[in-house]
Amino acid sequence: GDSVTQKQGQVTLSEDDFLFINCTYSTTTYPTLLWYVQYLGQGPQLLLKVTTANNKGISRGFEATYDKGTTSFHLQKASVQESDSAVYFCALVEATEGADRLTFGKGTQLIIQP
Amino acid sequence: GGIITQTPKFLIGQEGQKLTLKCQQNFNHDTMYWYRQDSGKGLRLIYYSITENDLQKGDLSEGYDASREKKSSFSLTVTSAQKNEMAVFLCASSPGLGDYAEQFFGPGTRLTVL
């Protein structure tokens, strides 16, 4: 079955630092790859979607890309702010009969030091 | 816009107890999901439902029952709570299939078993 590996459990940065989070995936189909963000006390919310058609997604200063050759996808931001402190999940979409099932990575907690 | 409401927000149970978590959505979405979130383990799918009275097992369905009696509501029952269990249960909904239909999450129910 599909799988996603997200190895970075925690990333600590200072404001204006560059953020880079990486996930690898395994699937037999054309992937749709997602990034969700979860702020403290809230449910996850969709941040970005990347497909084989668009290769890249951009939202709120974040950019998501994927590399078919290495079966990996990345989330990056040029200059993080304290308000970006959250947990970031990568996820792989599996379209099954009647619904889209998501396989999530373990999450990366982003801590921004003031 | 819409909202997903989960009740209760915090749930404390005893070992062996049967516990029920409730979820309501006013998006008029067809598909609803229950996920379990453990620290450091990402989100794992327990049950999902593509329409009223439909139930589909996810990867973690053992030890749980679910019920979708109305389109707007989806309940999850922990059939026998395990001692020292701590997790957050997240409910989500989506409009259904079609170029990945975004899943919208509720704020979660935090379960503690004494």
Side-chain angles (χ1 to χ4, degrees), chain A residues 36 38 43 46 49 98 100-101, chain B residues 33 37 50 59 100 103 106:
Chain A
Y36 271 83
Q38 184 177 30
L46 183 65
K49 178 178 78 172
D100 287 320
R101 290 181 57 156
Chain B
Y33 306 80
Q37 182 176 20
I50 63 174
D59 299 320
Y100 176 63
Q103 292 186 21

Side-chain angles (χ1 to χ4, degrees), chain A residues 40-86:
Chain A
L40 190 63
Q42 299 180 23
Q45 53 186 272
L46 183 65
L47 179 59
L48 283 166
K49 178 178 78 172
V50 182
T51 67
T52 53
N54 62 18
N55 289 345
K56 181 187 288 190
I58 298 175
S59 174
R60 303 187 236 170
F62 289 88
E63 182 176 312
T65 56
Y66 97 101
D67 184 332
K68 186 180 175 183
T70 59
T71 61
S72 61
F73 58 125
H74 323 295
L75 179 71
Q76 61 187 52
K77 188 176 186 185
S79 176
V80 294
Q81 304 303 306
E82 196 168 352
S83 58
D84 294 324
S85 297

Side-chain angles (χ1 to χ4, degrees), chain A residues 32 34 36 38 41-47 49 51 87 89 93 95-107, chain B residues 9 31 33 35 37 40-43 45 48 50 57-59 90 96-108:
Chain A
T32 294
L34 311 174
Y36 271 83
Q38 184 177 30
Q42 299 180 23
Q45 53 186 272
L46 183 65
L47 179 59
K49 178 178 78 172
T51 67
V87 181
F89 293 96
V93 180
T96 63
E97 188 173 335
D100 287 320
R101 290 181 57 156
L102 302 185
T103 301
F104 283 87
K106 294 183 179 181
Chain B
K9 189 165 183 167
T31 309
Y33 306 80
Y35 290 90
Q37 182 176 20
K41 288 188 179 179
L43 281 69
L45 182 64
Y48 65 102
I50 63 174
K57 291 184 178 181
D59 299 320
L90 292 163
L97 289 177
D99 193 26
Y100 176 63
E102 178 180 348
Q103 292 186 21
F104 295 83
F105 284 83

